[in-house]
Amino acid sequence: ILPFVSVNQILLLLLVLTVCAILYNKVHQVSSALKNESVDLETPEETEEEIPVVICAAAGRMGAAIAAISSIYSNTEANVLFYIVGLKTTIPHIRKWIENSKLKEIKFKVVEFNPMVLKGKIRQDASRPELLQPLNFVRFYLPLLIQKHEKVIYLDDDIIVQGDIQELYDTKLAPGHAAAFSDDCDLPSTHEMVRSVGMQNTYMGFLDYRKQAIRDLGISPSTCSFNPGVIVANMTEWKHQRITKQLEKWMQRNVEENLYSSTLGGGVATSPMLIVFHRKYSTINPMWHIRHLGWSPDTRYSEHFLQEAKLLHWNGRYKPWDYPSVHTDLWENWFIPDPSGKFKLTRPES
């Protein structure tokens, strides 16, 4: 009997061991699977960060927006999403232009800007009516137009980007700063240009210091100004500081008190920003905003300097799609003709 019991015990023990081995193997496989799954969750395929770039497409100068977009798209591998802002009447034209050219590959959203938000906020001024166009004020309303992004680039349409837009997007904003701009005193190489065309680069050129409201700001008239044609903006800070409301307040005060006007250097869109962002902005690398190319049809930068520049800006009256203007070859490199034939370049031979 004892040997029989011993055999049964041995068989039972072997059975238990077999079951344990099977269970252990199963549990180990599940554990490995879970472990592998958790690794996959922790290291997903990196999704490339989207770079939102806001550009306006205004009637009569849509070729400018097209050239700017073309230059950005051609000089980067980054995942750029273009927000193209227009009025209801201009949107079909710009959409058709993009979709019927080599730009059909870009990622873009067309956003309609409602000029009614400006009602009662703009003082009419006949000296430079182009500065009163509604789309000049799109930069004031970035959080209303762009919902899902933390960081946004805004660009005027009269620019060409020669560098990788990723570099501009990577501009560091100091804590508490809602935006980064280029100082108008930043590059010695531009100082001669500023002097030769008589352009102002201080607050004196933008604000009327004869007005008490301006003097009450306590800003020295010799303070260096900045140019809001290129902006890297933090949307969280912008909303937190109610920047749009602050800008609107100064627009309304200008309507009532004529604190600045387009007869001064910067027109009506720059001045409110100079007030609201005084000493509250970060700076952009100077080579990412070479300005004043549109201030004189005679004054030119050196070709070597322009080749080094990351971004060129034809701010001023003399635009590269019109005549006369300077350095038009650098702009035309990126221009794409209008398939509809509505937008045409103005050239001496034409």
Side-chain angles (χ1 to χ4, degrees):
I1 294 172
L2 284 175
F4 178 76
V5 172
S6 297
V7 170
N8 280 340
Q9 287 175 334
I10 291 169
L11 288 173
L12 183 61
L13 181 61
L14 288 172
L15 181 62
V16 169
L17 289 171
T18 303
V19 170
C20 288
I22 293 169
L23 288 173
Y24 173 82
N25 193 41
K26 290 287 186 186
V27 169
H28 182 68
Q29 286 177 349
V30 171
S31 174
S32 297
L34 288 171
K35 185 177 179 182
N36 289 337
E37 189 177 359
S38 68
V39 169
D40 290 340
L41 288 171
E42 287 170 9
T43 57
E45 286 185 26
E46 285 189 18
T47 54
E48 200 176 3
E49 187 174 12
E50 217 167 44
I51 298 178
V53 176
V54 179
I55 295 181
C56 295
R61 47 193 289 163
M62 285 191 197
I66 289 292
I69 292 167
S70 171
S71 70
I72 295 165
Y73 180 64
S74 301
N75 287 306
T76 187
E77 296 295 322
N79 180 23
V80 180
L81 172 60
F82 293 97
Y83 283 86
I84 302 168
V85 186
L87 302 180
K88 190 174 184 178
T89 53
T90 61
I91 283 174
H93 186 187
I94 195 74
R95 186 185 292 278
K96 185 177 180 182
W97 197 332
I98 290 170
E99 292 175 349
N100 289 279
S101 73
K102 64 181 183 182
L103 292 181
K104 62 180 178 288
E105 303 298 327
I106 70 169
K107 288 172 60 179
F108 73 100
K109 291 182 179 180
V110 175
V111 181
E112 181 183 339
F113 183 69
N114 184 355
M116 289 304 294
V117 301
L118 301 173
K119 189 174 181 180
K121 301 184 183 77
I122 301 176
R123 169 183 280 271
Q124 294 304 312
D125 193 322
S127 61
R128 290 195 67 187
E130 75 276 10
L131 296 176
L132 303 177
Q133 294 301 317
L135 294 181
N136 280 342
F137 301 92
V138 161
R139 71 197 93 187
F140 289 16
Y141 297 94
L142 292 177
L144 300 181
L145 300 168
I146 313 300
Q147 302 293 335
K148 66 173 185 172
H149 300 282
E150 168 75 9
K151 197 175 186 182
V152 172
I153 294 173
Y154 167 87
L155 300 173
D156 277 353
D157 60 359
D158 51 356
I159 63 100
I160 288 296
V161 172
Q162 300 186 135
D164 185 344
I165 198 73
Q166 181 76 53
E167 289 180 32
L168 181 60
Y169 185 74
D170 290 340
T171 299
K172 300 294 184 188
L173 273 68
H177 285 176
F181 306 99
S182 291
D183 278 321
D184 281 332
C185 308
D186 56 10
L187 269 183
S189 45
T190 66
H191 294 174
E192 183 59 38
M193 173 75 84
V194 169
R195 281 194 296 272
S196 66
V197 299
M199 182 183 172
Q200 293 286 344
N201 62 357
T202 65
Y203 274 57
M204 176 65 87
F206 297 87
L207 305 178
D208 188 348
Y209 276 84
R210 295 170 299 178
K211 301 295 171 67
Q212 188 62 44
I214 297 301
R215 294 199 299 272
D216 287 346
L217 291 169
I219 302 172
S220 168
S222 62
T223 301
C224 185
S225 54
F226 58 81
N227 186 299
V230 176
I231 307 172
V232 181
N234 180 311
M235 293 293 93
T236 301
E237 281 295 336
W238 193 292
K239 287 181 276 192
H240 175 69
Q241 297 179 32
R242 298 168 64 83
I243 296 293
T244 298
K245 288 294 182 188
Q246 292 187 59
L247 292 167
E248 287 184 326
K249 181 190 85 169
W250 284 103
M251 291 170 75
Q252 287 165 334
R253 288 199 66 176
N254 183 56
V255 170
E256 296 159 8
E257 304 172 50
N258 196 21
L259 303 177
Y260 49 84
S261 72
S262 57
T263 55
L264 293 172
V268 292
T270 298
S271 301
M273 301 197 87
L274 290 177
I275 296 170
V276 171
F277 284 101
H278 177 242
R279 291 185 175 174
K280 295 178 183 174
Y281 66 92
S282 298
T283 54
I284 290 170
N285 180 330
M287 296 306 287
W288 267 100
H289 196 178
I290 301 303
R291 307 181 283 296
H292 320 314
L293 277 75
W295 273 86
S296 167
D298 305 311
T299 310
R300 302 172 67 90
Y301 285 112
S302 77
E303 292 302 323
H304 175 73
F305 176 67
L306 292 179
Q307 285 170 9
E308 297 294 315
K310 305 286 190 176
L311 184 148
L312 305 175
H313 189 183
W314 279 262
N315 58 315
R317 296 173 185 264
Y318 302 98
K319 303 301 184 186
W321 55 90
D322 280 336
Y323 180 83
S325 56
V326 296
H327 303 297
T328 53
D329 54 325
L330 294 174
W331 185 86
E332 275 193 61
N333 281 341
W334 307 107
F335 175 68
I336 299 169
D338 183 359
S340 73
K342 293 177 185 174
F343 182 93
K344 293 183 173 67
L345 303 182
T346 304
R347 295 294 181 256
E349 60 272 15
S350 62

